[in-house]
Amino acid sequence: MFKGKVLYKSIFVLSLLSFLTLSGAGAVPSGSAVPTAGTPVFVTTAGQSADAHAVKLLLDRGKVKSGYDPVAEADKISGTKTLLLVMGGSSKGLGAAGMDEDEEISRITRLLEKAKKEKLYIVGVHIGGESRRGPLSAKFINLVAPQCNYIIVKKDGNKDSYFTKLGEKMKIPVTVIDETLDLSAIFKTMFANN
């Protein structure tokens, strides 16, 4: 199981690095203006999809000081200023992490409670597109999105306007991007003062 997990992650990372190398600059994001946030940033997944690892790679590429742990508990985010939760459920990812969806929901709830208590800036990211908008992902999105200070979503994951409507209702700024690579420009603006 461990070898399979490492192989899966290695293939994913190599694919993403190839994509980043071959891709040019993305389209201009739409929606709310990008806010500023503090570093260090802590990245974790909300649902155990591999999308969080892609976000961490883009932060590293932009030289943003950040930590990453897909199964981080609340104590791990102490000392950070921004919590970046990458929303998207994966039954394969949950299995590899040795947990079920209820355990993941409990973990994310503890992280959100700690983040609120320590007044961290909470950013929700959804880059998985339509494939990460099924019933499993919905549980994590519905938990995380309403508690965010800012949301970034890829256009194909917002075809039903769920995120933009939630943003309007809850007064949460939302930026819609075309491609995952567009996160690079957002992070550059977001963490420019750090």
Side-chain angles (χ1 to χ4, degrees):
M1 184 183 222
F2 179 74
K3 285 181 182 176
K5 185 177 174 184
V6 171
L7 179 61
Y8 168 75
K9 191 174 259 187
S10 298
I11 291 169
F12 173 79
V13 171
L14 287 172
S15 299
L16 181 68
L17 288 174
S18 297
F19 168 77
L20 293 175
T21 303
L22 296 172
S23 297
V28 177
S30 64
S32 302
V34 177
T36 56
T39 59
V41 180
F42 195 88
V43 182
T44 193
T45 172
Q48 293 301 315
S49 76
D51 300 336
H53 195 254
V55 171
K56 171 60 173 153
L57 286 173
L58 289 170
L59 286 165
D60 289 347
R61 189 175 185 222
K63 297 183 172 45
V64 177
K65 187 177 178 185
S66 60
Y68 168 73
D69 184 347
V71 293
E73 285 294 342
D75 62 324
K76 199 130 187 205
I77 64 173
S78 290
T80 61
K81 292 185 179 175
T82 301
L83 175 62
L84 214 155
L85 290 164
V86 184
M87 302 171 280
S90 165
S91 53
K92 192 180 284 186
L94 287 165
M99 63 175 74
D100 61 29
E101 59 194 70
D102 291 332
E103 290 170 316
E104 177 72 340
I105 286 168
S106 294
R107 182 184 76 87
I108 297 305
T109 300
R110 290 190 295 273
L111 281 167
L112 287 165
E113 286 170 356
K114 177 83 166 181
K116 297 275 186 183
K117 185 179 176 185
E118 297 199 0
K119 296 181 172 45
L120 302 187
Y121 193 76
I122 303 169
V123 179
V125 178
H126 186 271
I127 56 169
E130 280 186 279
S131 64
R132 294 270 186 246
R133 286 297 310 279
L136 178 61
S137 289
K139 294 177 182 181
F140 303 109
I141 291 168
N142 293 338
L143 171 64
V144 173
Q147 300 190 62
C148 291
N149 299 109
Y150 176 51
I151 296 171
I152 307 165
V153 59
K154 215 165 120 188
K155 187 192 288 183
D156 58 351
N158 191 44
K159 284 186 175 177
D160 59 355
S161 301
Y162 169 85
F163 292 97
T164 46
K165 286 176 183 173
L166 177 75
E168 288 167 11
K169 181 182 174 185
M170 306 281 295
K171 305 283 189 269
I172 302 167
V174 176
T175 299
V176 180
I177 59 175
D178 288 330
E179 302 295 338
T180 300
L181 190 61
D182 297 340
L183 286 171
S184 294
I186 291 174
F187 292 155
K188 188 175 181 180
T189 300
M190 228 177 152
F191 305 113
N193 299 324
N194 297 282

